[in-house]
Amino acid sequence: MKFENVLADINGFGKFQIMIIAINFLGRFTLPCHFMLNNFIAAIPAHHCDLSSLDDFLNLSQAERITVSIPVETDRSPSSCRMFAKPQYHLLLNSSDVTDASTVPCQNGWVYDNTTFRSTITSEWDLVCDRRGKNKATATIFFVGVMFGAIAFGSLSDRFGRRIMLLVSYVSGMLFAIASAFSTTYVMFAVLRFFTGFCITGIVIVSSALCVEWVDIEHRKLVGVIDSLSWTFGNTVFAAIAYFVTDWRWLTLSVTSPLILAIITWRWMPDSARWLIANGKLEQAQIYLKKCAKINQREDFIHTLKAETLSTIVDKGARGRTYTYLDLIRTPKMRKLSLQTGFLWFCIATTFYGISFNITGFGLNIYLTQFTYAVIELPAKLSVYYLLDKIGRRSTEVGALLLSALCLGINIVMPKDMSAARTVVAIVGKGFSSASFGTVVLYSSELYPTVVRQNGMGYNSFMGRFGVAASPLILLLDEVWKELPQVVLCSTALLGGLVARTMAETRNRCLPETIEDIERNAV
């Protein structure tokens, strides 16, 4: 007997499943906000050396102080990191008079332009000039936390259940995020951001599996697209929140606050009946299945939900066993599947974030740019909804990656003076890359058996975040050859498409329950 037979009796997509999707949508809202938070809280405002402590300038205006104290760059803007060793008063008579006077690093800190941002961690701890590396490190530290959190929550939710680990992720992620907003030192902030990333990644790992495991075959693609759209929605709204909240501490608190509502609504979140059955917890599975039948108005089938019936879904040998990440590579077909999906996630994340980081300028400010990047994803993800059933998961994934590679290849050969056309191609490429990301979460969750699905998704997410960390390094290759980053990203997308082509199709197929299901079949 298959779990899908049980779902068919009690309605695999009714009010019960809609409730699960709605609760998860709310909880996932904070994820894209925190993933993109560094764009705003670590933004570098215009700045120059602080001159307020120099008494010699008491009779000069601020503009005159800057003229005689700060050298200018080639674009005639004041230097951000250096000042004259001694005041150059002759510049008051002719500010365009080029001087060879010696300069020194800023001696008394910096003054920041607060026009766009009232406060950032950059201005809070002077993370500029020779300390700029610390500024960039905050994003890396956060994503390293996300990487290891994916591994941890994937394993823990397979061992202790989806529902309890979702609550752990909600509460711990909220507490560390709130604590980071009250950081008094850079080191304290960096440590707390690591643990914030570590904890909140459990939300996406657990919620994705919960949605997929509770819906029938016909609606799995809808759930996958809705999960993906929650990311787009969060990114879009985040642009508005960041526009109105320009203090980094309050912005951190603002994007974390939805977790309070998520924690409240968690009480209505069921655990995965698939996981409960696979782990021999038949009585608990009965409770949730009967609740599902009641809410979906299928009370007539409640009498069929007997422990004896449910016990036939999973072999006795599989129930009660503890599964680990080693089970992903213990058997031949599982090992092959893990290598395929891990490499695929790495390629998709590298391509997506590589394109995102490499799109430069629409002539818009940072808030409109954030909004535009989010809106671009909408048509791509809506098209995925149509294509997942029309041509299948595999073909959608392969097509999206190959078209991303095509756009990257076009920009390699397109003349640099065609900047408008290059930007349009880059945006289209980002849309295809977004479609590949929207597909891979659902596709991967359908490929892995229930008993190790969370371990598999945790491992895949780890590989994806590894790709996120690699993409900025790839963009630095332009110092070797200007087009080298585009060539690497194009090759990565192409390789990802080729790997996806070798994977099994999951359209209209039952989810595998055990590792034996994988070894017996192609899926």
Side-chain angles (χ1 to χ4, degrees), residues 481-507:
W481 175 39
K482 194 68 176 176
E483 302 299 340
L484 188 54
Q486 297 287 324
V487 172
V488 173
L489 292 175
C490 178
S491 302
T492 302
L494 183 61
L495 286 173
L498 295 176
V499 169
R501 185 68 185 85
T502 67
M503 295 165 64
E505 178 57 69
T506 60
R507 177 179 49 166

Side-chain angles (χ1 to χ4, degrees), residues 24-57:
N24 280 333
F25 194 95
L26 178 64
R28 289 164 67 97
F29 171 82
T30 194
L31 283 167
C33 299
H34 271 283
F35 273 51
M36 299 299 168
L37 189 61
N38 225 62
N39 286 347
F40 296 94
I41 67 170
I44 303 177
H47 55 281
H48 60 74
C49 299
D50 185 4
L51 309 174
S52 60
S53 63
L54 303 180
D55 296 333
D56 292 345
F57 300 149

